[in-house]
Amino acid sequence: MPGNKVSKQKSCHHCKRRSASAPDTSTIHYEKFWLYRHCSSVQQRDRQAQKAGQLFSGLLAMNVVFLGSAFVSSMIFNHVAITLADVWILLSILKVLCLCWIIYYLLGTSRQPHAVLYRDSHAGPIWIRGSVLLFCSFSILLNVFQIGYSAILIQCKSRVEIVFPSIEILFICTQAFFLWHHSKDCIQVQHNFTRCGLMLTIATNLLLWLLAVTNDTIHMEIESQLREVEQRFAGKAPLSHPCLRNETTSCTCPNTTICKVFQKGYILLYPFNTEYCLVCCSVLYVMWKNVGRRISHHHVPLIKHKFKIQGVVFGPLLGTAAVIIGICVFMMYQIQATGSAPNRQVFVMYYSYYIVLLPLMSVGAVIGTIIHALEKRELDTLKNPTRSLDAILLMGAALGQIGMSYFSIVAIVATDPRDLLNSLILSYSVLLIFQNITQNVFIIDGLHRQPFISPDKEEEMKEEQNHEACDQRQVSVLELGQEIRKVSLSYLHSYSHLNWKRRALREISSFLVLCNIILWVMPTFGAHPVFENGLEKSFYGYSTWFAIVNFGLPLSVFYRMHSVGGLLEVYVTA
């Protein structure tokens, strides 16, 4: 029959188009490792070689991190034998090695035949690559300010303090370009060399983050200058800070505008460098997991979800109100709390804002989790390194804020919990722990749900069914039509019932996104009441509490930023 002939030709056309989109399995480079060269099965040898490559590259990163951590720790505890310049020299060597590997990957590995047969659609979403570019720009500006600041004080600064930021700028730019263009790669050649290069780059970023957390030289210089000014007004002889070296007090910024601009700009942009290192580590880890990974074309999503603000009203309104109020609180805090004698009322105002906002966020997260439990969306059980890493990072980064909260709770309970400010800090700490836990549960549960597909995508679903019919020629045209009708009717029925749940999830997600943005902005740009209120600092001592805050605060800032990405993912898939 002519009609059957036409349908067969269309079906064959679909089959050809589908097979053209899928990589040819004959071009796959199976991994080999000398320990498993006697395996009878090629697939088994490939699997064992992949595990061995991950093990050895992981051991390389572990040794590099331990070596760098030993250098940084020696600089802290014995700065006479190991100086900051020694740590910079070690990190410069590591960055040069990473640059050599990245350039080799860009010009050599990725351009080999059949090098990138697959690309992970979940890896390197636009928000994470946008974050890399944003923090890259701020980190470059930070290093420019550091070079200018060191150049002005060249008489008391080492030349290494100018060379190191210059190498850092080159490393940041090259790495950002590499991650923007190749974060989705599932490389199929030079597996072990690529894994080792990725792990070396991850270890270098971790050490840069560790140095940024522990090195607070410029902050100490500024604190020393402020102390000298205060003591001169009081008519006392200036005393050096116990944590500073002898030459620090003589290396003061001259009373010029350009020096003050470099100094203040460096302090303002300092947190973005730590964020850049952590974001790059997360992207590089996903690339490392994807080395040698072969993705079936059935696992590639047919429909790409787009961000739309349709039918969402209350969440953005409440979130915008929280952002505006938060900006006002932040500005008042910055004006009053950074003076020589911080006003007690500004701390009361700051913590009161959090005490009002955190319960609202917790209630929203709990309601969203209940909606997830009520809806009938299936769990997405496909292997997804990006989603697994998101869950690990959310849980791990939350430990920074939760840890600081527990330290604050112990300090308050052991001193005077009935004082107004202390009771506010106690409530803030407890609510913060609860909010982090409920939000993590909501985000992780949402990331593991199958995404909704709107009815206007029905034609694409039918086309996909036709494609699958090419692989299953035993299914008759009549059975296929009945199956499509059954799926369409079932979906339309469920869509009409789940519409209010989808709306509620989008309202909650949009509200939490805006709240997490303002909770990211406030500590990032200098609002640190956990160190400035003086309670925990007097209880634990300056050095101990300084170390706790320097470890927990960057993690809590990273947690807020990463939560925004997870919540946007939940919003889009709803």
Side-chain angles (χ1 to χ4, degrees), residues 330-348:
F330 172 70
M331 293 176 65
M332 294 176 66
Y333 176 87
Q334 285 294 90
I335 293 170
Q336 299 184 33
T338 55
S340 57
N343 189 358
R344 181 185 174 90
Q345 293 300 320
V346 75
F347 291 110
V348 174

Side-chain angles (χ1 to χ4, degrees), residues 519-540:
L519 296 186
W520 172 77
V521 167
M522 294 172 77
T524 299
F525 289 95
H528 304 146
V530 291
F531 194 75
E532 293 159 352
N533 62 41
L535 174 66
E536 298 92 342
K537 185 164 58 175
S538 61
F539 183 82
Y540 292 106

Side-chain angles (χ1 to χ4, degrees), residues 4 40 149 159 201 225 238 277 343 398 409 538 560 565:
N4 292 335
S40 57
Y149 181 74
R159 296 185 186 277
T201 313
Q225 293 172 39
C277 295
N343 189 358
I409 290 171
S538 61
R560 292 299 173 189

Side-chain angles (χ1 to χ4, degrees), residues 61 63-70 72 87 90-91 94 200-214 277 281:
N63 282 277
V64 173
V65 169
F66 279 147
L67 175 63
S69 301
V72 174
V87 178
L90 173 66
L91 290 175
L94 292 175
L200 180 64
T201 313
I202 290 174
T204 303
N205 280 282
L206 284 175
L207 291 176
L208 288 171
W209 172 79
L210 180 63
L211 179 64
V213 167
T214 55
C277 295
C281 284

Side-chain angles (χ1 to χ4, degrees), residues 227-289:
R227 188 174 287 103
E228 285 182 13
V229 172
E230 292 171 6
Q231 289 169 350
R232 281 170 187 165
F233 277 115
K236 299 178 182 178
L239 298 172
S240 62
H241 194 280
C243 299
L244 292 173
R245 301 172 195 172
N246 294 331
E247 68 269 13
T248 304
T249 53
S250 63
C251 191
T252 57
C253 187
N255 193 19
T256 57
T257 305
I258 187 67
C259 185
K260 296 296 182 184
V261 168
F262 284 146
Q263 197 180 61
K264 295 296 183 182
Y266 180 88
I267 292 174
L268 184 65
L269 297 173
Y270 194 77
F272 291 101
N273 192 32
T274 60
E275 297 299 305
Y276 175 76
C277 295
L278 292 176
V279 173
C280 288
C281 284
S282 63
V283 180
L284 289 165
Y285 176 79
V286 173
M287 289 186 65
W288 178 76
K289 292 289 288 183

Side-chain angles (χ1 to χ4, degrees), residues 321-369:
V323 169
I324 293 172
I325 296 172
I327 291 173
C328 296
V329 170
F330 172 70
M331 293 176 65
M332 294 176 66
Y333 176 87
Q334 285 294 90
I335 293 170
Q336 299 184 33
T338 55
S340 57
N343 189 358
R344 181 185 174 90
Q345 293 300 320
V346 75
F347 291 110
V348 174
M349 176 191 64
Y350 185 92
Y351 285 113
S352 299
Y353 170 74
Y354 269 82
I355 288 172
V356 172
L357 183 61
L358 291 175
L360 294 176
M361 297 174 66
S362 302
V363 170
V366 170
I367 294 174
T369 306

